Amino acid sequence: MQLAERTWPELGDYVAEESVAMVPFGSTEQHGPHLPLATDALIAEALAREAADRTGFVCTPPVRITVSGHHRQFHGTMWVEPDVFRDYVESLTRNLTYHGVDRVVFVNAHGGNVPHLREVGGRLRRDRTAYAIEWMWDESIPRLVREVFAHNGPHGGPKETAMIQHIAPELVREGELESARDGGVLELTAEETRQFGARTYYDCADNSANGVFGDQTDATAEVGAELFEAASDQLVRLLEWLDDREFDELIPEPHVDPQPGSRRS
């Protein structure tokens, strides 16, 4: 169910029976010479829509401009500061709870959002407002991603290329796949990014001239379909698991017993 496509009475009927919602999170940032700036948003939205169609759980409109300041040197990238993003996400989630939702899955396709979505989820859980959990699509199927690509790459690599080839093939610049590989970084190793135990870079441009990593020529729409189906299955299972839990099971105990096993008179 797509929240924005429904009427308010229909949403009233939904929250009378259900308390689970999804919020898709992507980004608007460079993804090299071969992929659109909307790459992360397209992936998150497609996975959330698929899961909503398969389960009936409600999906909100997507959040497309997020924490992307580390890609700011590349034309077109848009971002908000992390504290602004966290406050926005918290306010948005509290809005859902006002209408009766108390379990939220942040359907995420941008690595820069991960710590901030988890921080917001922790805040909401601690004050017993909601159980909100961040779900990152490629982290749900790590073994498959490793198996299908020899040189994956954390950004603009073959996994994202294959997903867009499957979801929105008309947006992939197929003629730029080799230049993406040759102008980027094939392998991002610890030796290149750390010195004496310190992480020495802050921005994508510190490491990659064209903003991408991995071998994009390994990607195909067929592999993208395989990744999409596997990740969708994981998201559906997470939603069903969440729906089966009692709310109190998901909320932390106020304190551990200071004297476990003791009897009190």
Side-chain angles (χ1 to χ4, degrees):
M1 175 186 293
Q2 298 299 310
L3 182 147
E5 298 172 4
R6 298 289 182 158
T7 68
W8 71 261
E10 290 169 343
L11 268 298
D13 292 340
Y14 176 84
V15 294
E17 301 293 333
E18 301 288 356
S19 57
V20 176
M22 288 176 280
V23 185
F25 286 88
S27 68
T28 301
E29 65 182 25
Q30 71 83 20
H31 275 77
H34 62 303
L35 292 178
L37 274 71
T39 290
D40 293 339
L42 292 169
I43 293 171
E45 292 166 38
L47 288 167
R49 182 173 286 273
E50 175 72 10
D53 289 346
R54 287 172 56 179
T55 64
F57 292 125
V58 73
C59 179
T60 75
V63 180
R64 285 180 162 230
I65 298 176
T66 58
V67 182
S68 296
H70 49 296
H71 292 282
R72 68 187 184 280
Q73 291 94 338
F74 296 92
H75 298 297
T77 294
M78 302 183 70
W79 70 93
V80 295
E81 297 304 322
D83 56 339
V84 175
F85 176 71
R86 289 192 296 268
D87 288 346
Y88 177 84
V89 175
E90 182 173 348
S91 179
L92 184 157
T93 309
R94 290 184 186 278
N95 171 270
L96 287 171
T97 68
Y98 178 82
H99 294 297
V101 168
D102 61 18
R103 276 156 274 200
V104 180
V105 176
F106 299 141
V107 179
N108 185 32
H110 174 48
N113 295 337
V114 171
H116 310 293
L117 293 174
R118 287 194 58 80
E119 167 63 24
V120 172
R123 292 180 191 175
L124 296 166
R125 184 172 183 257
R126 284 190 291 272
D127 67 15
R128 300 181 64 87
T129 299
Y131 182 79
I133 188 169
E134 182 268 343
W135 178 84
M136 181 73 179
W137 78 269
D138 59 319
E139 292 181 0
S140 76
I141 51 170
R143 181 179 298 177
L144 177 59
V145 172
R146 288 194 302 269
E147 288 174 353
V148 294
F149 300 122
H151 302 282
N152 180 32
H155 180 76
K159 66 185 178 188
E160 292 181 326
T161 304
M163 286 287 271
I164 300 302
Q165 286 172 324
H166 170 61
I167 295 166
E170 71 281 3
L171 298 180
V172 180
R173 280 61 169 176
E174 294 286 347
E176 297 290 340
L177 296 185
E178 289 189 7
S179 68
R181 177 196 62 197
D182 297 341
V185 176
L186 189 64
E187 292 286 354
L188 188 62
T189 66
E191 290 77 14
E192 295 168 341
T193 61
R194 292 181 179 272
Q195 292 291 334
F196 313 108
R199 176 172 154 168
T200 54
Y201 70 95
Y202 286 93
D203 298 331
C204 181
D206 294 338
N207 292 316
S208 175
N210 70 359
V212 296
F213 306 88
D215 186 354
Q216 293 74 17
T217 64
D218 281 349
T220 66
E222 291 73 23
V223 172
E226 183 180 3
L227 297 175
F228 185 86
E229 182 64 24
S232 297
D233 286 345
Q234 291 295 96
L235 179 54
V236 166
R237 292 177 67 184
L238 174 62
L239 291 163
E240 292 173 344
W241 174 85
L242 201 56
D243 186 49
D244 286 342
R245 306 274 82 74
E246 294 292 335
F247 183 68
D248 284 344
E249 292 181 56
L250 301 167
I251 299 303
E253 295 292 332
H255 206 288
V256 298
D257 186 344
Q259 296 178 322
S262 67
R263 295 180 177 226
R264 299 186 183 184
S265 57

